[in-house]
């Protein structure tokens, strides 16, 4: 394995603390959502950060597959819905739903692109067999 890039993120104070990265572009307060017993403050939360990262990475994987297959894509978008769940044993786990909107492609091509992207996306690989991930292709009516 050849490392191409390493990000360094620092979290202080847990879920109601602060996150930053060593080179500066992320410097955010955290808040716990009210539905999880928090104050629902103005800060972000780990699920929002994870969802943003997963959506961006998955979109990049879709673009990489499309480029490899010489499929021209218009402006695409991926929306990640990350849920924080409680299991039967009192523990916690995540689940994800990824909605991919690929305007200008037919259903068969779109499904092939998102399924292929799920195979190469580093976030999909990291979550595989660890959390439930549902893939949806959004189509124009």
């Amino acid at each position: 394995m050849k490392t191409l890039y390493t990000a360094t993120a620092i979290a202080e104070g847990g879920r109601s603390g602060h996150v930053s990265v060593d080179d500066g572009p992320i410097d955010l307060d955290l808040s716990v959502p009210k539905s999880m017993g928090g104050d629902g403050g103005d800060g972000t939360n780990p699920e929002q950060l994870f969802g943003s990262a997963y959506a961006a990475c998955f979109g990049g994987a879709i673009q990489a597959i499309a480029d490899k297959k010489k499929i021209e894509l218009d402006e695409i978008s991926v929306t990640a819905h990350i849920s924080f769940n409680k299991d039967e044993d009192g523990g916690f786990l995540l689940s994800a739903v990824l909605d991919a909107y690929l305007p200008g492609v037919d259903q068969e091509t779109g499904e092939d692109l998102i399924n292929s992207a799920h195979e190469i996306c580093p976030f999909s690989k990291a979550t595989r067999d660890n959390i439930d991930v549902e893939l949806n292709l959004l189509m124009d009516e």
Side-chain angles (χ1 to χ4, degrees), residues 18-81:
H18 190 87
V19 292
S20 61
V21 292
D22 64 339
D23 57 355
I26 295 176
D27 190 7
L28 304 167
D29 288 328
L30 299 173
S31 296
V32 178
K34 286 184 180 184
S35 65
M36 292 174 61
D39 65 0
D42 293 335
T44 189
N45 62 62
E47 291 71 33
Q48 291 170 327
L49 294 168
F50 179 73
S52 298
Y54 198 171
C57 189
F58 195 78
I62 291 170
Q63 290 171 323
I65 295 294
D67 289 348
K68 184 177 181 180
K69 294 184 175 194
K70 300 193 183 331
I71 298 169
E72 190 170 325
L73 293 177
D74 293 330
E75 201 58 34
I76 69 166
S77 69
V78 176
T79 302
H81 306 271

Side-chain angles (χ1 to χ4, degrees), residues 77 99-114 136-141:
S77 69
D99 293 333
Y101 177 56
L102 314 176
V105 298
D106 61 77
Q107 184 173 348
E108 183 179 341
T109 301
E111 287 176 356
D112 180 57
L113 286 171
I114 65 172
N136 294 317
L137 174 64
L138 305 181
M139 303 289 296
D140 289 326
E141 291 185 23

Side-chain angles (χ1 to χ4, degrees), residues 73-93:
L73 293 177
D74 293 330
E75 201 58 34
I76 69 166
S77 69
V78 176
T79 302
H81 306 271
I82 306 299
S83 296
F84 184 89
N85 309 292
K86 191 171 189 173
D87 66 20
E88 304 83 33
D89 299 325
F92 303 100
L93 53 105

